[in-house]
Amino acid sequence: MLYSDDIVRGARLIKQAAAVAVLTGAGVSKESGIPTFREAQTGLWANYEPEKLATVEGFVSDPNLVWTWYDWRRKMVSNVKPNPGHFALVELEQLVPKFTLITQNVDGLHRLAGSRHIVELHGNISRHKCLKHGHVASEEVESDLPEPPKCHCGSLIRPDVVWFGEALGPQNLADSYAAAESADVFLIIGTSGLVQPAASFPFVAKRRGARLIEINPEETPLTREVDFFLQGASGVILPQLLEVLRDQSA
């Protein structure tokens, strides 16, 4: 099959790279049927501001409400599967010497697909942690609970995600910057590049000499900065890149 010159050149860059870093956003998960945070605020949830559902203050004020919201979202995530874009990234990880996948998504679909070297920048909706001390809950948390359970220390258990106003985990942040600094090729997939600090990672990579490849259905504020803009769904473009990579390696 014939592919565009940009896909062929992009695949050649990846083939020559010793280190590849990837940043994914909500667009990748949306292709699996997961709505964005704002889109998920429909029906019963349409009347609630994000500050009520995704902040520490909102959780402390009404823990049962926030717990129910996240339980609903967890159930929604449990009913979807990784898409071809997720699986293409799994194979890409196996083809390059050094690979880091940085995701802003909390649904865990990259891990479910089989990706190994992942930085879950904003956490994982399937994990839970202690509100007071921050340690990840080791015990399984039941679904359908009307209120959040308590940690062994007596504090409430909360979702292990980064809420509005919270700092990112220092190790996740350090790992992301390290991947950007060492990358020969940096892929930006399914993200608008507006949310900091993730939006800065491509620029860090570019300053260190990396080539940038963006895969998105529409142009974003990052498009003018990249070397190749591959327009389309990640579930379509990534498998095409992989097919060209295989041909080039044959």
Side-chain angles (χ1 to χ4, degrees):
M1 184 179 293
L2 293 176
Y3 294 116
S4 71
D5 289 344
D6 281 352
I7 285 182
V8 173
R9 289 197 291 265
R12 187 175 298 119
L13 284 178
I14 294 171
K15 182 177 182 294
Q16 295 169 346
V20 172
V22 180
L23 174 66
T24 67
V28 177
S29 295
K30 191 172 182 179
E31 292 178 39
S32 285
I34 296 179
T36 65
F37 182 90
R38 299 284 181 177
E39 290 171 342
Q41 289 183 263
T42 59
L44 172 66
W45 306 107
N47 297 323
Y48 294 99
E49 293 295 322
E51 291 75 15
K52 296 287 187 182
L53 300 173
T55 63
V56 172
E57 294 77 13
F59 184 70
V60 171
S61 173
D62 195 340
N64 293 1
L65 173 71
V66 176
W67 184 260
T68 303
W69 154 252
Y70 276 93
D71 192 48
W72 175 74
R73 291 182 67 199
R74 277 191 295 272
K75 290 174 184 173
M76 178 172 54
V77 167
S78 70
N79 289 323
V80 302
K81 297 179 180 179
N83 63 61
H86 291 105
F87 291 116
L89 288 172
V90 175
E91 186 172 347
L92 181 59
E93 181 173 1
Q94 299 166 356
L95 294 177
V96 296
K98 183 179 179 183
F99 180 92
T100 304
L101 172 56
I102 308 162
T103 185
Q104 300 169 91
N105 302 330
V106 300
D107 48 59
L109 288 181
H110 285 299
R111 200 173 296 279
L112 183 61
S115 290
R116 292 291 175 261
H117 196 188
I118 310 172
V119 179
E120 291 177 318
L121 203 59
H122 294 160
N124 189 310
I125 200 170
S126 297
R127 289 196 308 262
H128 303 84
K129 66 181 182 180
C130 174
L131 175 65
K132 184 176 181 180
H133 298 107
H135 53 260
V136 175
S138 56
E139 62 275 5
E140 189 74 21
V141 175
E142 293 181 36
S143 186
D144 293 320
L145 292 175
E147 59 187 25
K150 289 190 175 180
C151 179
H152 58 77
C153 71
S155 177
L156 291 176
I157 292 290
R158 55 161 283 184
D160 187 12
V161 297
V162 177
W163 281 332
F164 294 114
E166 290 189 304
L168 300 181
Q171 189 60 57
N172 283 341
L173 200 54
D175 290 346
S176 298
Y177 277 119
E181 289 171 354
S182 65
D184 299 306
V185 175
F186 193 104
L187 283 84
I188 305 137
I189 308 173
T191 178
S192 61
L194 292 175
V195 178
Q196 293 291 355
S200 69
F201 299 156
F203 293 95
V204 171
K206 187 174 183 178
R207 284 197 298 270
R208 292 296 186 110
R211 307 294 293 275
L212 306 185
I213 300 173
E214 180 185 4
I215 300 173
N216 266 314
E218 305 293 339
E219 291 188 0
T220 71
L222 285 172
T223 303
R224 68 181 66 182
E225 304 292 338
V226 304
D227 296 282
F228 296 107
F229 173 59
L230 307 181
Q231 187 166 14
S234 61
V236 174
I237 301 295
L238 281 168
Q240 291 178 358
L241 267 176
L242 272 175
E243 186 169 340
V244 176
L245 264 171
R246 293 190 206 103
D247 290 344
Q248 292 176 351
S249 301

